[in-house]
Amino acid sequence: MNKIRFVNTVHSLTFTLMWTFLACTSVFGQQIIINEFMASNASTISDGGIFDDWVELYNPSNSPVNIGGMYLTDDLTNPTLSQIPTNNPSATTIPAGGYLILWFDKEPEQGPLHVNAKLGSGGESIGLFASNGTTQIDAYTFGPQLVDRSEGRTTDGGSTWAFFTQPTPGATNNTSVGGSTAPTPTASVRGGIYSNSISVS
């Protein structure tokens, strides 16, 4: 009797674990991708006349995905910085193979696509987290940005990033690349006051 009860318990536990795994996969396994962004928007695309920072999300799947309840952040150590509202699925659903622009303007009161953060043109991170507040769906850490140059994946959802001279917010990343920033130069001698001539490289 005890052996039968033990076997039934094991089967029940196995089923529960499998169901939990599949449920989590269906909720958190939807790979929404950070596809393009602009952290120094002077004239490219406006939000009601204001040129705010923006991030484009891409849905590579064959089904629409509602991102309501997920979190966006510019600080990966604070994944729950800004939650996407759940009460407007018509605005927060990304169609299959489609794109969605979110404004990083620190004005969430303006609507469900406004994030309570701003991007730093000197470089920082963008993170998208699941509605549980801990599962990272996608993230990207970037360096210094140029005015009216976006940075994005050179093919939608690809692993290679580049600067775009012609940004494509809300559309496929098929434009020309270029305009990247040079790394910060370093000097062989520390700054200071010297009494004799020195050679610097």
Side-chain angles (χ1 to χ4, degrees), residues 153-190:
R153 301 177 187 270
T154 52
T155 57
D156 293 334
S159 59
T160 303
W161 288 76
F163 285 91
F164 297 136
T165 56
Q166 296 177 326
T168 60
T172 184
N173 294 351
N174 62 354
T175 186
S176 58
V177 301
S180 60
T181 59
T184 303
T186 56
S188 60
V189 179
R190 294 184 61 182

Side-chain angles (χ1 to χ4, degrees), residues 15 19 22 33 39 51-52 55 79 82 86 88 97 102 131 149 154 156 182 191-192:
F15 174 80
W19 185 90
L22 291 174
I33 293 171
F51 293 93
D52 292 318
V55 171
S82 183
T86 59
N88 196 340
L102 294 111
S131 57
R149 295 288 187 271
T154 52
D156 293 334

Side-chain angles (χ1 to χ4, degrees), residues 17-186:
L17 290 174
M18 289 179 63
W19 185 90
T20 302
F21 171 78
L22 291 174
C24 288
T25 300
S26 65
V27 174
F28 303 133
Q30 299 163 330
Q31 187 59 33
I32 298 301
I33 293 171
I34 298 167
N35 203 50
E36 187 181 3
F37 69 93
M38 182 175 285
S40 185
N41 180 17
S43 61
T44 299
I45 180 175
S46 74
D47 168 31
I50 305 299
F51 293 93
D52 292 318
D53 303 335
W54 54 268
V55 171
E56 175 194 88
L57 300 182
Y58 169 58
N59 174 15
S61 76
N62 295 322
S63 301
V65 175
N66 181 10
I67 61 170
M70 297 181 185
Y71 294 89
L72 279 160
T73 184
D74 63 346
D75 180 359
L76 299 183
T77 66
N78 184 11
T80 60
L81 177 65
S82 183
Q83 188 173 34
I84 301 166
T86 59
N87 59 357
N88 196 340
S90 63
T92 58
T93 296
I94 310 176
Y99 312 87
L100 185 67
I101 298 296
L102 294 111
W103 302 99
F104 276 62
D105 55 6
K106 275 194 174 181
E107 296 178 333
E109 67 278 2
Q110 288 193 17
L113 302 182
H114 293 259
V115 179
N116 191 27
K118 287 191 175 184
L119 300 180
S121 60
E124 56 177 354
S125 298
I126 306 168
L128 175 66
F129 288 81
S131 57
N132 63 1
T134 57
T135 301
Q136 180 178 291
I137 296 174
D138 197 17
Y140 181 63
T141 298
F142 59 90
Q145 301 294 298
L146 300 172
V147 176
D148 285 332
R149 295 288 187 271
S150 66
E151 188 175 358
R153 301 177 187 270
T154 52
T155 57
D156 293 334
S159 59
T160 303
W161 288 76
F163 285 91
F164 297 136
T165 56
Q166 296 177 326
T168 60
T172 184
N173 294 351
N174 62 354
T175 186
S176 58
V177 301
S180 60
T181 59
T184 303
T186 56

